[in-house]
Every structure is written in C-alpha cells, then in structure tokens.
Amino acid sequence: MKVVKFGGSSVADVKQFRKVKAIIQADNRRQVVVVSAIGKSLQQPIKMTDMLIELERARDLGEDINEIFESISERFLKIRDDLKIGLVLEKDLLEIKDNLFTCSHDYLISRGEYLTAKLMAKYLGYKFVDASLVMIFKENGFDYGASKRALLKIRSKYQNIVVPGFYGVQIDKSIQLMARGGSDISGAILANLLDAKLYENWTDVSGILMADPRIVDHSQKIDILSYEELQELSYMGIGVFQEEAILPVRKKQIPTKILNTNDPKASGTLVVGSIDRQIEKRIITGIAGKKNYTVITIKKYQLNRHIEILQQVLSILQKHHIVASYVPSGNDGFSFLCQQDSSNPNLESAISNLRNSCNLDKIIINKNIALVAAVSWQLSQRPSLAGKILDFLDNSRINVKLVIQEGSNMKVIFGVNDADYERTIVKIYQEAEFYKLSKPA
C-alpha cells in the first residue's frame, strides 16, 4: 500500500485534477491520498491559502469580504462543474461564510485543503476523511497512538480514502494547522501510521536537483539520497520537501519518492535509510543555502571558561525574540547566526544590549551574510573535501567569512556575502562536477 500526497500545483485546476486521477488509476496500491489546497495556475496566479489569508485580513479590518469570498467560491465550483461531479459544495461554503466572524485562524485557513480534498475524493470515487478525524494532536505534540486507532478504524471500512493535508485537531476539537507546507507532514505521518510500503510526494519538479535550477542551469537530478542528506538539504532551504516531514517516515524506514505530477514517467528522487555509495563518484550530493543573515561574533579573553557570559548573551537574544545558531570560533570567541527579518526590529536593540551588559572585549557584526551548505556523505570519510571546496572559492576570489562543519559531519557551511551567494553555489557545483568526471573518488 502506498500513501501519496499531491501539492497545490498538482491540484491547481481541472487539468491537474485529471492528471492526478490518471496517476492514481495507474497503480491500485495508491490507496491513501493527501492533498494540499488549490495552488497557482496560469489563469489563477494566487494560491487558495493566500486567498483565505486575504479573506481573514479583510474580516479583521472590517472591510467588505463578499468579493473575496465569491472569488474563493467560484474557484471551487468551477473545478466541480468542469469535472461534472455531483458534489454539493454550496452547503460547505455557506457554513464557512456563516462561521467567518467567529471562527479561528486555523479553521479558516484549513478550509482550502478541506474543500480540495472533498472535490478530489468525489472525483476519484474515494472516501473523504476529514483530517480532524485522524490527525489528532495533544498538548505536547502529535498523538500517534490515538491517530492510528482512529485511522485503522476508518480503514477497516474504506480501503481508498482522501485526507486533507496541513491540519489536524486538538483535544478540545479545535482545528490546528501545521507549518506552511504541512501537507508533506500530513502525508508522512499517514505513511507512518499505516506502515506504508512507499510514500510518494507528487509536486511540480521531477525530483530533487543538486542545486537550485534558478541559479545553476541544467542542474543534475539526485537519483537517490538518504534521509539524513535530505534533512540537511531541507534545513538549508532546498524547498522541495518540508524538513519536518522527514522524521515520521525515517522512524519506520519508509522509502519516500519525490515525483512530478506533470511528468509521471520521470524517475524522480528516492529517499531511503541507507545507501551503498561505494561506486558514487560525485563528491557533493547537493548544495543549498539561505541569504540575509547577521553574524554576531563576541570576543572575551578565555571566553570558553566564562559560561555565565554565554548564558547572559543567550538570555539577551531570547529576550529580544531572536533565534540564533551559535558556534565556537576559538578559545576567546563565539559567533551567533541570526536570520535578518524585517518583521523583527529587535536585532539592533539586542546588539546594543550586548555591548552595554555583557562585559565583552569586542563585538564584531557582519550583516548581509549568506550561508551555503555543501552536503556530502563523503565529508565524514574525507575531511579534506572541505579544504578542496575552500580552494575552489578562493580561486574565484570569493571572500569566505566563516566555515562551519559540525554535527553529522555530512555538511559543511560557508558564510559569504549575500552578493556572492549565487556565484558561490555555481562555483561549488561546477567544480564538484569537474572533480567527479576527472578524478573519481
């Protein structure tokens, strides 16, 4: 049995619905289907989730909501009518409108997935199962036990089901959203609960590429990678798969395949627990990164002996609601990496507080820093690879501000100026490909 998830671009319009049905019908093992809310299309360049957010904004500001609500309704009803499925959605839409001024944020935003799943279930001839029945949260996280019992009870009656992604229900029956892009997580959890043979994640790309194709032309596809490699790439912003969706399938060692709804015959990318990489010649599995970091480096003589100062620094950052990663930079220094966020104006205030309160010898501030991660299973076996990459960048006159290699020893992170971000990714990719072809590992 397979659990399959289709993202917003896969259900964006009638044409995409038909592609999904063809994919489902091509393999009768695709019995549990998870869908996101209607995504962007050529005719409709706004995601349904964003339309619902706009509806909520208008409601909260006391603006007229009727035009926005009608646009939302028309998109769902057009898909229904064009597919010629006998589903009465008007009652659901009326219920949403009636609840609009009293409902929670999570309830309103989740209605995109709810209605999309209803359409898909009717179109496929599958049973619609509201996520609130089988995705159950408790106070400290997801309740795997209660969710599994509820899901198996439903599956004992209905083999083929469609479940909305992105949300579940709290103990008090209130709707709870997951992180944006949470349909990936929903699908992974359902695969875990049902001990699926395979979790298929259908999107609009034919697998995971070595590097962002907007930066690297004709970037090579990664045919197979480990959960650990995927987690490192997802954490650094590869974007194809939610980082939080990895753990549920990794726990049960359920293979995950990233596939393209628009090109279902493409091989995609397979993610598994472990890989025999003895014949692998590529020195880098993938490259990912993020821009707009500020690096705060604090200096104090023998800082490693002054734990109280580090505690004070962390307390100040926490007080200003700044999330920071930190790494040692010698016996006398620590660096804190904070992502610059225009919605959080507290960074300058926090820096001022650090200067005045922590009895430091020096504070060095580097703004507009990009972090670029090169992920490779070979890094743990061949530490010199980090040096080779540094040589690549030095030869291109790219100024590397910091280097971080820790944790799993599967990735090395280079801090460069934002202006050098794209050039850094291109250089690492080009040299890695050259090394693969000319000097097999």
Side-chain angles (χ1 to χ4, degrees):
M1 187 273 294
K2 297 179 180 180
V3 172
V4 295
K5 174 261 175 180
F6 291 91
S9 62
S10 299
V11 293
D13 55 27
V14 171
K15 184 179 178 182
Q16 295 302 98
F17 265 67
R18 289 177 177 143
K19 290 178 183 178
V20 169
K21 187 171 186 177
I23 289 167
I24 298 297
Q25 291 180 335
D27 188 343
N28 60 14
R29 293 172 296 174
R30 293 173 176 141
Q31 297 172 0
V32 178
V33 180
V34 179
V35 294
S36 298
I38 295 170
K40 296 178 183 179
S41 69
L42 291 176
Q43 292 73 32
Q44 297 284 352
I46 303 175
K47 296 178 180 179
M48 179 55 64
T49 299
D50 291 330
M51 293 180 74
L52 289 164
I53 291 171
E54 177 62 18
L55 177 66
E56 181 181 46
R57 186 201 65 80
R59 177 201 69 182
D60 292 346
L61 292 176
E63 298 175 358
D64 182 21
I65 56 90
N66 289 309
E67 185 176 345
I68 301 172
F69 190 83
E70 284 305 309
S71 296
I72 290 169
S73 300
E74 286 172 7
R75 284 189 73 176
F76 285 112
L77 295 175
K78 178 173 173 50
I79 290 175
R80 179 200 66 181
D81 294 343
D82 288 351
L83 291 174
K84 297 181 172 57
I85 53 178
L87 177 66
V88 181
L89 274 185
E90 286 83 356
K91 183 179 178 181
D92 292 296
L93 290 165
L94 180 60
E95 182 179 325
I96 294 168
K97 192 170 186 179
D98 287 345
N99 290 332
L100 183 58
F101 291 94
T102 57
C103 70
S104 68
H105 165 82
D106 287 19
Y107 168 85
L108 179 58
I109 304 308
S110 71
R111 296 307 87 182
E113 277 73 15
Y114 176 84
L115 293 175
T116 304
K118 276 204 157 186
L119 283 170
M120 185 61 73
K122 187 68 174 179
Y123 184 51
L124 294 175
Y126 280 26
K127 175 68 176 176
F128 169 76
V129 177
D130 190 348
S132 65
L133 300 176
V134 295
M135 301 293 286
I136 301 167
F137 290 86
K138 52 187 177 181
E139 189 173 337
N140 60 345
F142 189 76
D143 192 332
Y144 277 85
S147 299
K148 183 166 187 172
R149 289 189 295 272
L151 181 59
L152 291 179
K153 186 176 181 180
I154 289 172
R155 283 269 295 166
S156 68
K157 298 179 181 178
Y158 306 100
Q159 184 179 54
N160 300 323
I161 62 175
V162 176
V163 184
F166 190 35
Y167 72 93
V169 67
Q170 277 284 0
I171 296 172
D172 63 2
K173 304 303 181 185
S174 61
I175 296 296
Q176 176 169 323
L177 291 180
M178 299 176 186
R180 189 76 186 261
S183 293
D184 285 355
I185 306 170
S186 299
I189 289 174
L190 289 170
N192 175 296
L193 297 177
L194 293 170
D195 294 307
K197 294 298 183 185
L198 181 68
Y199 172 41
E200 293 180 346
N201 193 291
W202 292 83
T203 180
D204 55 2
V205 294
S206 298
I208 298 173
L209 303 181
M210 270 189 70
D212 189 334
R214 294 168 298 184
I215 298 173
V216 176
D217 290 336
H218 309 296
S219 176
Q220 293 292 309
K221 179 172 67 70
I222 305 171
D223 294 321
I224 185 168
L225 74 166
S226 66
Y227 293 120
E228 191 173 6
E229 288 170 317
L230 177 60
Q231 188 155 352
E232 298 289 7
L233 289 168
S234 297
Y235 176 76
M236 289 304 298
I238 202 165
V240 176
F241 197 78
Q242 282 289 104
E243 182 193 358
E244 293 88 347
I246 297 168
L247 184 59
V249 284
R250 187 177 182 176
K251 277 182 178 179
K252 294 280 188 77
Q253 293 292 290
I254 296 168
T256 297
K257 202 157 195 181
I258 315 297
L259 296 158
N260 189 346
T261 304
N262 302 313
D263 188 9
K265 292 184 179 180
S267 59
T269 296
L270 180 65
V271 188
V272 294
S274 60
I275 304 166
D276 181 1
R277 287 284 176 84
Q278 298 306 310
I279 61 172
E280 177 68 73
K281 294 181 179 180
R282 180 180 286 146
I283 66 169
I284 299 296
T285 301
I287 308 158
K290 298 177 183 177
K291 284 184 175 182
N292 301 321
Y293 279 87
T294 292
V295 180
I296 304 170
T297 301
I298 61 171
K299 296 286 187 179
K300 175 76 175 178
Y301 179 65
Q302 293 188 330
L303 180 60
N304 60 335
R305 297 186 180 182
H306 293 281
I307 301 299
E308 75 282 358
I309 292 180
L310 287 176
Q311 290 173 333
Q312 189 178 9
V313 170
L314 288 170
S315 176
I316 289 172
L317 293 177
Q318 184 178 30
K319 175 184 174 183
H320 288 82
H321 307 290
I322 293 168
V323 178
S325 302
Y326 60 96
V327 291
S329 52
N331 291 336
D332 301 334
F334 258 81
S335 291
F336 296 82
L337 284 64
C338 317
Q339 198 152 24
Q340 295 162 206
D341 185 351
S342 58
S343 66
N344 183 357
N346 297 330
L347 185 57
E348 294 299 329
S349 177
I351 292 170
S352 176
N353 204 339
L354 291 175
R355 293 187 193 280
N356 296 329
S357 306
C358 295
N359 190 29
L360 298 167
D361 294 341
K362 185 186 291 186
I363 297 180
I364 303 168
I365 308 298
N366 280 300
K367 293 186 177 182
N368 303 315
I369 299 297
L371 301 182
V372 177
V375 174
S376 171
W377 68 276
Q378 295 196 52
L379 282 167
S380 61
Q381 300 178 23
R382 301 174 62 196
S384 63
L385 284 180
K388 291 182 185 299
I389 297 171
L390 272 174
D391 284 343
F392 300 158
L393 300 180
D394 183 59
N395 292 338
S396 295
R397 299 292 189 267
I398 293 173
N399 184 8
V400 177
K401 303 284 187 178
L402 75 158
V403 180
I404 307 168
Q405 188 173 0
E406 58 175 354
S408 67
N409 288 325
M410 192 167 279
K411 76 172 182 287
V412 57
I413 298 175
F414 302 95
V416 299
N417 291 321
D418 275 348
D420 288 328
Y421 174 71
E422 289 83 2
R423 198 157 63 97
T424 301
I425 290 176
V426 170
K427 187 62 179 175
I428 294 174
Y429 179 89
Q430 288 176 342
E431 294 293 345
E433 284 296 285
F434 170 79
Y435 191 85
K436 176 193 74 171
L437 292 171
S438 63
K439 303 176 183 178

